[in-house]
Amino acid sequence: MYNLHAATIAIIAANVLVSIKGFNDQFFFDRYKFSIGGIKAGQRERMATSGFLHVDISHLFFNMFTLYFFAPVVIKWFGQVKFLVIYLVSLLAGSLLALFFHKDEPYYSAVGASGAVTGILYAAILLQPNMQLGLLFIPIPLPAYVLGIAYLLYSIYGMKSRLGNIGHTAHFGGAIGGYAITLLFRPSLLVTDTLMVLLLAIPIIILFILGKLGKI
């Protein structure tokens, strides 16, 4: 399951090279990070380039390590081209949701592949919801869909409370992108796994309700 495919290697290489450039060149980092002010000034490429920049080595490693584990699941189902599509759509979906929720905060900025990686993670969970996942502080493996739903509910809490220096909005947007494109590529899941499709949609529905009510 953990074989490295060419598409995964290409994404990891792009993230490593761009991030290292950003580590060593503050002007480059500031020019291509996600920035509400910059995007509103017409620099829309930031919505894509920011997804390849990282704050430090640990940030980069965690994102690429997560991608390494879940990319093979998506590639197994869809192949490498559609995997890349899911990755890039999730990246942009994360940036779009961040832009939507933070549009009135000109100094809001963010970097990282977390939105794209979360999209791959959520796609993998939708495709194989019963695979067992474990966390360091939970000794018993749990079904992937349980952790997926819990993670997005936590992201809503993080968005609402501005918890930590983390782009919770981009994570959530990435998950929406991964979820939507997976269903677009595999609409039969709506029939064969209707319950799981609905369960994984719960956090997304909650977010839009809270947004509509102005609670987030």
Side-chain angles (χ1 to χ4, degrees):
M1 173 176 162
Y2 302 118
N3 293 329
L4 274 174
H5 298 84
T8 309
I9 294 172
I11 288 174
I12 292 175
N15 275 277
V16 169
L17 292 173
V18 175
S19 293
I20 289 175
K21 173 66 175 174
F23 296 158
N24 297 297
D25 186 338
Q26 189 63 46
F27 176 81
F28 179 86
F29 184 90
D30 290 338
R31 173 59 183 82
Y32 292 106
K33 69 182 180 181
F34 180 93
S35 165
I36 295 294
I39 292 169
K40 284 192 169 183
Q43 298 169 352
R44 295 184 179 86
E45 69 277 4
R46 289 175 181 265
M47 297 182 69
T49 57
S50 59
F52 294 91
L53 287 167
H54 290 82
V55 173
D56 52 34
I57 290 292
S58 61
H59 185 207
L60 172 64
F61 175 79
F62 180 77
N63 276 331
M64 296 303 98
F65 187 67
T66 304
L67 179 69
Y68 167 76
F69 275 105
F70 292 99
V73 176
V74 179
I75 291 173
K76 177 183 175 182
W77 281 73
F78 291 137
Q80 298 188 64
V81 173
K82 288 184 177 179
F83 161 76
L84 288 172
V85 171
I86 294 173
Y87 184 90
L88 294 173
V89 168
S90 297
L91 190 164
L92 293 175
S95 291
L96 283 169
L97 195 68
L99 180 63
F100 176 79
F101 276 101
H102 300 286
K103 60 182 178 293
D104 298 322
E105 303 170 47
Y107 296 106
Y108 179 88
S109 63
V111 294
S114 301
V117 173
T118 303
I120 295 298
L121 168 64
Y122 218 61
I125 291 173
L126 183 57
L127 293 166
Q128 294 183 195
N130 291 310
M131 61 179 170
Q132 298 293 299
L133 301 179
L135 297 175
L136 291 176
F137 52 87
I138 301 177
I140 302 173
L142 296 172
Y145 74 90
V146 173
L147 292 179
I149 293 170
Y151 178 71
L152 286 198
L153 292 175
Y154 168 76
S155 293
I156 292 175
Y157 171 73
M159 291 167 63
K160 191 173 177 62
S161 62
R162 301 299 178 95
L163 186 65
N165 189 28
I166 300 171
H168 296 286
T169 313
H171 295 183
F172 206 104
I176 294 174
Y179 178 87
I181 299 301
T182 298
L183 289 178
L184 180 65
F185 286 158
R186 193 88 177 185
S188 60
L189 290 171
L190 292 165
V191 176
T192 59
D193 288 286
T194 306
L195 178 60
M196 203 55 61
V197 170
L198 292 175
L199 286 174
L200 290 171
I202 289 173
I204 299 172
I205 294 169
I206 290 174
L207 176 69
F208 279 100
I209 291 175
L210 290 175
K212 192 72 174 177
L213 295 175
K215 300 293 185 181
I216 195 169

